[in-house]
Amino acid sequence: MTAELDEVVAANAELYAAFEEGDVDRMEAVWDDADDVVCVHPGWPMLRGRARVLRSWSVIMANTNYIQFFLTGVDAVIDADTAVVTCEENFLTAVADPDGALSESAKVVSTNVFRRRGDGWRLWLHHGSPVLAPSEEPSSD
Amino acid sequence: MTAELDEVVAANAELYAAFEEGDVDRMEAVWDDADDVVCVHPGWPMLRGRARVLRSWSVIMANTNYIQFFLTGVDAVIDADTAVVTCEENFLTAVADPDGALSESAKVVSTNVFRRRGDGWRLWLHHGSPVLAPSEEPSSD
């Protein structure tokens, strides 16, 4: 893997590290400053615009007691100043209930598109979606 | 909109036209010939590789009696030989049941990434996800 790809993979990991820490400042630094950023949380409609996207992350992080990611299948492709990263987000999260914290695990598949800026790769598009199907192959072939 | 963006938007529309027609040859022409293509159908895991991706489309189209798309919010951004298109897929589909065809409507949000090739823009990544949330804004802010 080239040094350039390493940088993109590190930028991708930083998205999940910011989420795990619930750190709004780090999350703001992950995202591009441009106002055409796009974000799809799993099962959500498409959110456009930096203010709206960052607000959604603040709400999600404020409502997440604990989350830990294990990324698998991370693949990065760079063309000029655009990088496309795909990965699987395997995560454990703590769900608060009247009897105490309950741990849940789930899987989301994600596409993350980064732009090269003067200070490094910044996230322009995040698209995460829930894996609802039971297997990797359609059953009818 | 520039002529170049028009071409990308047309390539994006062709994905949905091929699906509507259930035309395997058109669908094969939409996708890039490279073996690193990526596809996420709504609720599915991530499929990688041209053979696997095209097989999934063949199965889906064989099991779809009728589908019609109305794309909204189509936005395209080009950087060098990569184009990223985001859109909302509003669709009507006919679901066969014992009493005859039943019409259903639904919404999916999609990210489509194209590569510029000698013969035009070819689809490299499709990521569609179901909209399960009721509104565009989180309710807790």
Side-chain angles (χ1 to χ4, degrees), chain A residues 12 15 32 52 54 61 98 110 117 132 134:
Chain A
N12 189 66
L15 166 65
D32 193 21
R52 189 182 229 185
L54 289 176
M61 292 193 294
S110 276
R117 298 296 191 185
L132 308 173

Side-chain angles (χ1 to χ4, degrees), chain B:
Chain B
M1 188 176 282
T2 68
E4 201 174 39
L5 281 174
D6 284 344
E7 287 174 12
V8 170
V9 169
N12 188 66
E14 177 65 10
L15 167 65
Y16 300 99
F19 189 1
E20 285 177 340
E21 295 295 317
D23 189 326
V24 173
D25 292 337
R26 274 176 84 171
M27 186 57 78
E28 288 186 2
V30 164
W31 283 86
D32 193 19
D33 280 328
D35 202 46
D36 64 348
V37 295
V38 181
C39 183
V40 180
H41 299 292
W44 285 43
M46 192 165 276
L47 303 180
R48 297 181 188 274
R50 183 171 164 88
R52 188 182 229 184
V53 167
L54 289 176
R55 189 167 63 237
S56 74
W57 281 104
S58 292
V59 171
I60 288 170
M61 292 194 293
N63 286 290
T64 304
N65 293 322
Y66 171 83
I67 193 162
Q68 186 173 359
F69 289 95
F70 307 91
L71 300 184
T72 53
V74 179
D75 189 70
V77 175
I78 299 172
D79 175 40
D81 294 328
T82 301
V84 179
V85 182
T86 49
C87 63
E88 295 150 356
E89 310 170 3
N90 309 274
F91 58 91
L92 285 170
T93 187
V95 180
D97 68 19
D99 301 323
L102 173 72
S103 195
E104 288 193 348
S105 65
K107 189 182 227 178
V108 160
V109 287
S110 276
T111 299
N112 296 316
V113 184
F114 294 83
R115 282 175 173 159
R116 192 201 310 266
R117 298 297 191 184
D119 55 354
W121 292 96
R122 306 285 291 275
L123 187 58
W124 168 53
L125 179 149
H126 167 71
H127 191 154
S129 64
V131 177
L132 307 172
S135 76
E136 292 221 351
E137 292 293 334
S139 57
S140 50
D141 64 351

